[in-house]
Amino acid sequence: MEVQEQCTTSARSFEHLNAYERGIIKALLGEKRSIRYIARQLGRHPSTISREIKRGTVKQRRSDLTEYEAYYPETGQA
């Protein structure tokens, strides 16, 4: 088996969002801030914030059985 000595693929240089950042996303969404605004505040790319919001958003039901969607940082973390 040959070992490749020259690798042209660069190493990934990303970090996962931490619980603190997810909490900030929740708070800023509560203030009706835009994805781009949240991304600037956290120093992240807007697509990262968008994917996190999509990942952490779940459907909920009220007592009158109407549905709504809400972002939960714990769901995004899981």
Side-chain angles (χ1 to χ4, degrees), residues 3 6 9 11 13 16 34-35 38 42 46 49 52-56 63 73 75-76 78:
V3 177
Q6 291 183 344
T9 306
S13 61
H16 293 280
S34 71
I35 289 173
I38 296 170
L42 295 176
I49 304 303
E52 173 59 28
I53 292 169
K54 184 187 292 187
R55 186 179 301 117
S63 58
T75 304

Side-chain angles (χ1 to χ4, degrees), residues 13-19 21-22 44 48 52 55 76-77:
S13 61
F14 63 85
E15 294 179 16
H16 293 280
L17 292 171
N18 59 40
E21 290 172 315
R22 287 184 171 96
R44 300 290 188 142
T48 301
E52 173 59 28
R55 186 179 301 117
Q77 181 74 36

Side-chain angles (χ1 to χ4, degrees):
M1 187 156 123
E2 286 186 42
V3 177
Q4 184 177 358
E5 292 187 20
Q6 291 183 344
C7 181
T8 58
T9 306
S10 59
R12 293 181 179 173
S13 61
F14 63 85
E15 294 179 16
H16 293 280
L17 292 171
N18 59 40
Y20 178 75
E21 290 172 315
R22 287 184 171 96
I24 291 175
I25 292 171
K26 170 100 174 143
L28 293 176
L29 284 174
E31 295 177 6
K32 307 285 189 213
R33 298 294 187 162
S34 71
I35 289 173
R36 289 188 178 278
Y37 177 84
I38 296 170
R40 278 194 305 272
Q41 294 300 110
L42 295 176
R44 300 290 188 142
H45 197 275
S47 64
T48 301
I49 304 303
S50 176
R51 283 192 304 269
E52 173 59 28
I53 292 169
K54 184 187 292 187
R55 186 179 301 117
T57 299
V58 294
K59 284 188 178 182
Q60 298 288 311
R61 281 208 180 142
R62 295 183 179 96
S63 58
D64 64 356
L65 300 181
T66 58
E67 291 184 348
Y68 69 98
E69 291 186 344
Y71 171 74
Y72 291 98
E74 300 83 14
T75 304
Q77 181 74 36

